[in-house]
């Protein structure tokens, strides 16, 4: 075993031990967080070497990490951008399409790692079209072809600012029975779900209820047996937390974003729902002002079991890229109780993803031969 691998094994082992003892791992061990939201590859399926990701980028700073690509491939249309090869969805008018091979790619690069490296990762299935009633067959096929690899599904996307309308074919939506089939199967097989769906349309009117909130809650309520992580708490690049605004004609006060999320956290029909606070675009809202820092910290301190930190980094080239997003949250980390900080950075990940791993392995033993 290489020295770096031995260090990694030692880091994970001591991380787990310290967690069991209730010792704050970050201080003692340099293990800052587990990454609940990580993309190895970008919109054109290029990315970081997985061995390098584990040994150098996670290194001693990140104990565990989710692992997925991006299922939506940006077409390079010569008609549209000529010799310019777009690598991001905002760089071309050409459509995005579902690139299912991403799941085989993730599985194969994972299988090439040694067991100690593998233990630190939770690969996720993403290469399906959530508007396709056959999507669930793809997910099942991936589990059958690569047993022992995957922990969950996602990040997959229903509503996302400028992405949804660029997807070739049928547009995904929260009321589609195809999506219900996917979440139903995830519950049956024990797959943890990371779902991206903006709570609102871009540039929505301040003070109005977010357009997709009702549909999202209804969808989540239909699948109480499935563990679902709502990525970015429903926020995005241009989808901002709603602001309180008393309108002159109604004199009614609409709820703040904090009240919306708090109502969901306290709703017993949504007890299976968690929120990830990944993406630098989300951090920018949390640390925008001393008041937003206070509000965010108050929420995490009050409900520390329901939030997970993640970077949402895409194909990072070195560890500083990975830690940059973490440190954007420093003003919030400082305001958290030791317990809340530990849970959001480390323990909620272990609880959810370890449970999912065990359940998926059990489903595979019973269903894959
Ligand atoms: Zn993401």
């Amino acid at each position: 075993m290489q020295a770096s691998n031995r260090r990694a094994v030692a880091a994970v082992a001591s991380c787990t031990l310290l967690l069991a003892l209730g010792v704050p791992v970050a201080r003692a061990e340099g293990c800052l967080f587990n990454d609940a939201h990580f993309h190895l590859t970008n919109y054109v399926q290029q990315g970081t070497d997985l061995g390098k990701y584990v040994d150098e980028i996670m290194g001693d700073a990140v104990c565990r990490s989710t692992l997925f690509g991006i299922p939506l491939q940006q077409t390079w249309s010569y008609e549209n951008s000529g010799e310019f090869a777009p690598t991001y969805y905002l760089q071309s008018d050409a459509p995005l399409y579902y690139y299912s091979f991403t799941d085989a790619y993730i599985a194969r690069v994972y299988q090439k790692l040694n067991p100690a490296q593998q233990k630190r990762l939770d690969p996720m299935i993403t290469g399906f079209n959530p508007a396709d009633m056959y999507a669930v067959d793809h997910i099942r096929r991936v589990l059958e072809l690569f047993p022992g690899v995957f922990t969950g599904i996602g990040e997959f996307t229903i509503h996302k600012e400028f992405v949804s309308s660029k997807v070739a074919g049928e547009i995904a939506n929260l009321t589609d029975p195809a999506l219900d089939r996917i979440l139903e199967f995830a519950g049956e097989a024990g797959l943890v779900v990371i779902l991206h769906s903006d709570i609102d349309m871009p540039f929505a009117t301040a003070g109005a209820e977010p357009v997709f909130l009702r549909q999202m809650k209804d969808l989540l309520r239909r699948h109480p047996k499935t563990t679902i992580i709502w990525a970015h708490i429903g926020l995005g690049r241009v989808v901002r937390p709603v602001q309180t605004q008393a309108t002159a004609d109604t004199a009614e006060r609409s709820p703040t974003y904090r009240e919306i999320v708090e109502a969901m956290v306290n709703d017993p029909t949504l007890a299976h729902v968690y929120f990830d606070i990944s993406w630098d675009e989300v951090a920018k809202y949390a640390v925008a002002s001393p008041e937003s820092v206070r509000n965010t910290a108050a929420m995490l301190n009050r409900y520390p079991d329901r939030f997970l930190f993640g970077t949402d980094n895409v194909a990072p080239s070195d560890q500083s890229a990975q830690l940059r997003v973490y440190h954007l949250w420093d003003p919030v980390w400082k305001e958290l109780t030791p317990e809340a900080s530990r849970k959001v950075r480390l323990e909620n990940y272990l609880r959810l993803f370890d449970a999912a791993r065990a359940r998926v392995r059990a489903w595979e033993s019973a269903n894959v031969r």
Side-chain angles (χ1 to χ4, degrees), residues 37 39 68 155 232 312:
H37 195 123
H39 301 270
F68 38 94
E155 177 194 32
H232 325 303
D312 198 15

Side-chain angles (χ1 to χ4, degrees), residues 165-176:
S165 56
K166 281 192 63 169
V167 178
E170 205 71 50
I171 303 282
N173 73 74
L174 296 167
T175 58
D176 193 330

Side-chain angles (χ1 to χ4, degrees), residues 253-265:
R253 182 179 162 282
S254 66
T256 63
Y257 206 73
R258 182 176 164 187
E259 286 164 344
I260 290 173
V261 177
E262 248 181 313
M264 290 186 69
V265 169

Side-chain angles (χ1 to χ4, degrees), residues 37-39 43 68-70 155 157 160 194 196 231-232 276 278-279 311-314:
H37 195 123
F38 175 74
H39 301 270
Y43 281 88
F68 38 94
I70 292 180
E155 177 194 32
T157 296
K160 178 172 180 177
I194 303 175
H196 179 132
H232 325 303
D276 89 32
S278 69
W279 204 3
T311 59
D312 198 15
N313 273 341
V314 178

Side-chain angles (χ1 to χ4, degrees), residues 103-149:
D103 294 329
Y105 176 81
I106 291 290
R108 290 305 297 271
V109 292
Y110 172 86
Q111 287 175 329
K112 284 187 190 147
L113 299 179
N114 65 47
Q117 291 169 316
Q118 288 177 343
K119 251 188 120 171
R120 300 175 66 185
L121 298 170
D122 288 289
M124 309 284 285
I125 298 168
T126 61
F128 53 88
N129 177 353
D132 184 354
M133 294 287 278
Y134 278 131
V136 72
D137 299 81
H138 170 84
I139 297 167
R140 186 189 291 266
R141 198 173 299 124
V142 173
L143 291 178
E144 286 168 357
L145 200 56
F146 299 105
V149 173

